[in-house]
Amino acid sequence: MKFRHLMMAACAAAMTTGAGYAEGLKVGMITTLSGGGAGLGIDVRDGFMLAVKQSGADMEVVIEDDQRKPDIAVQLADKMVQQEKVDVLTGIIWSNLAMAVVPAVTAQGKFYLSPNAGPSALAGKGCHKNYFNVSWQNDAFSEAAGAWASENGIGKVFLMAPNYPAGKDMMAGFKRYFKGEVSDEVYTKLGQSDYAAEIAQIKASDADMAYYFLPGGMGISFMKQYAGSGADKAVMGPAFSFDQGILGAIGEAALGVKNTSHWGKDIDNAANKAFVESFQAEYGRLPSLYASQGFDTAALLISAMGKADVKDADAFRAALEAADFASTRGDFSFGPNHHPVQTIYMREVVKEGDVVTNKIIGTASAGHTDTYAGDCKM
């Protein structure tokens, strides 16, 4: 599946303070557009393309579907670099695909801007001067959740995640800041759809709460089964398990669940209000955190275009490091390893009219930075 977009927009949005745009920037987007994780990639793509459409930037975006398969992602990356001659790559959702692609493309002098995947290996010793993460480091939301659980009297937890890099990072993050006891820690198959055995383990455990990370279709399957199982333990997770696309499928079974996120549609700043309104108008649905990340990734890239030409790699890198754009999440800057410094909020699943959605109820971690920056030597 391949899409090619040449966007020279008619309307300009206030995304950059630069006086003009570099000409001919070519972006390769490799993301998941089919299969169980397609909703995440579609939201990243749609948020990114909305920002490009609004910006007035001269940007060609070549979009390919990785089908959530590392070998296909590698093939597409080689094609983007060798044949398409892109200047910048972006789009990958899954950490195992990022680990297969990012080191190879940055080693060839290309810039990579991650709109989602944030494996720990690329934040620490495997960092690179041309790699920028515009979303989060995988551990971050779970670190904030672990701290919140400790502060709110949770003594024992049952942990569960898929057995791949992001799943292991998430659980490590929770344990890093949780001061209570882990009663069980279970790793499931990536893409699993039947959780009867795991739910039985949760019900039989002595945990006060189940904390899980199951993005996309995995989270939908689990929560529907959990709600119908008669289990009475509270559940909590990072936003990836309870974001807008997932809540649309789960419905009222998720009401009351708490989850951590760097973004919510109710963050009160001008950029976010405009993004939420324009995304709904363009696509006919509420945006998710993935859509906000796609939008912010494009906005960052457009801001750098306004300051430097990508052919001057040092100048373009400095322009990216400045992060001079209006983020949907408010305050945003990069740490020394090119990963975000940002606030992580606690959200609760509520019903607004007929829509099940998230509402921010407080701050879980202000000015959050990742744990691995000290190992990064650029």
Side-chain angles (χ1 to χ4, degrees):
M1 184 181 297
K2 179 178 177 180
F3 305 88
R4 186 182 298 266
H5 301 263
L6 180 60
M7 307 301 296
M8 298 182 69
C11 59
M15 293 182 185
T16 176
T17 57
Y21 297 113
E23 294 183 0
L25 189 74
K26 193 170 185 179
V27 177
M29 176 179 286
I30 301 168
T31 197
T32 305
L33 301 173
S34 61
L40 286 59
I42 289 169
D43 276 1
V44 162
R45 178 198 67 190
D46 289 353
F48 188 98
M49 296 311 298
L50 178 64
V52 175
K53 180 179 179 179
Q54 293 177 350
S55 69
D58 178 3
M59 184 190 300
E60 182 179 357
V61 185
V62 182
I63 304 176
E64 297 271 13
D65 177 16
D66 59 37
Q67 302 172 48
R68 206 170 73 181
K69 298 177 181 177
D71 57 335
I72 291 178
V74 170
Q75 293 170 16
L76 291 174
D78 288 342
K79 180 182 176 183
M80 292 281 193
V81 173
Q82 302 300 329
Q83 297 181 30
E84 295 287 356
K85 306 295 184 184
V86 300
D87 303 302
V88 177
L89 288 96
T90 190
I92 288 178
I93 301 297
W94 308 92
S95 289
N96 54 330
L97 273 66
M99 290 304 302
V101 168
V102 173
V105 300
T106 54
Q108 295 178 75
K110 301 298 181 181
F111 288 94
Y112 190 94
L113 274 61
S114 177
N116 195 69
S120 57
L122 298 180
K125 293 180 180 179
C127 69
H128 192 280
K129 63 182 181 181
N130 287 349
Y131 172 68
F132 289 79
N133 188 294
V134 196
S135 53
W136 24 260
Q137 193 281 314
N138 284 344
D139 303 23
F141 289 6
S142 292
E143 288 177 340
W148 188 93
S150 292
E151 292 165 3
N152 285 270
I154 303 299
K156 292 184 178 181
V157 296
F158 184 105
L159 301 180
M160 183 172 67
N163 189 17
Y164 81 121
K168 293 179 179 179
D169 283 348
M170 297 282 178
M171 297 304 102
F174 187 93
K175 290 185 291 183
R176 187 173 292 123
Y177 286 88
F178 180 60
K179 297 176 181 177
E181 181 181 339
V182 176
S183 61
D184 290 283
E185 186 170 354
V186 173
Y187 290 92
T188 66
K189 183 179 178 181
L190 184 63
Q192 184 171 318
S193 59
D194 184 358
Y195 293 94
E198 289 81 8
I199 290 171
Q201 286 181 265
I202 293 171
K203 292 171 70 174
S205 77
D206 61 351
D208 302 314
M209 179 186 77
Y211 182 84
Y212 73 91
F213 161 64
L214 293 169
M218 293 178 284
I220 295 169
S221 296
F222 172 80
M223 198 63 207
K224 283 185 172 180
Q225 292 168 34
Y226 190 81
S229 72
D232 59 0
K233 295 184 191 299
V235 294
M236 186 170 75
F240 323 112
S241 301
F242 304 100
D243 206 55
Q244 197 60 49
I246 292 177
L247 293 179
I250 296 173
E252 294 185 9
L255 290 176
V257 170
K258 293 180 175 62
N259 60 97
T260 44
S261 180
H262 61 351
W263 178 84
K265 71 181 190 308
D266 48 345
I267 291 178
D268 189 12
N269 66 63
N272 194 48
K273 289 179 179 178
F275 162 67
V276 172
E277 181 179 347
S278 61
F279 190 93
Q280 284 186 276
E282 184 77 15
Y283 301 112
R285 67 184 190 274
L286 283 173
S288 67
L289 77 104
Y290 302 102
S292 75
Q293 290 166 184
F295 190 90
D296 275 2
T297 299
L300 169 66
L301 187 55
I302 291 160
S303 74
M305 289 174 66
K307 294 173 176 287
D309 193 304
V310 72
K311 294 179 179 62
D312 184 344
D314 290 341
F316 196 77
R317 188 181 305 110
L320 289 170
E321 289 172 342
D324 187 15
F325 72 103
S327 170
T328 59
R329 63 201 94 157
D331 291 341
F332 178 98
S333 61
F334 284 116
N337 59 347
H338 293 170
H339 280 63
V341 178
Q342 59 192 343
T343 295
I344 298 173
Y345 302 95
M346 182 59 74
R347 308 189 304 182
E348 183 174 349
V349 180
V350 299
K351 194 170 185 181
E352 296 178 353
D354 294 329
V355 179
V356 176
T357 188
N358 282 293
K359 178 182 179 180
I360 292 174
I361 60 172
T363 296
S365 180
H368 190 87
T369 58
D370 71 273
T371 303
Y372 305 96
D375 295 327
C376 175
K377 309 298 181 186
M378 290 189 188

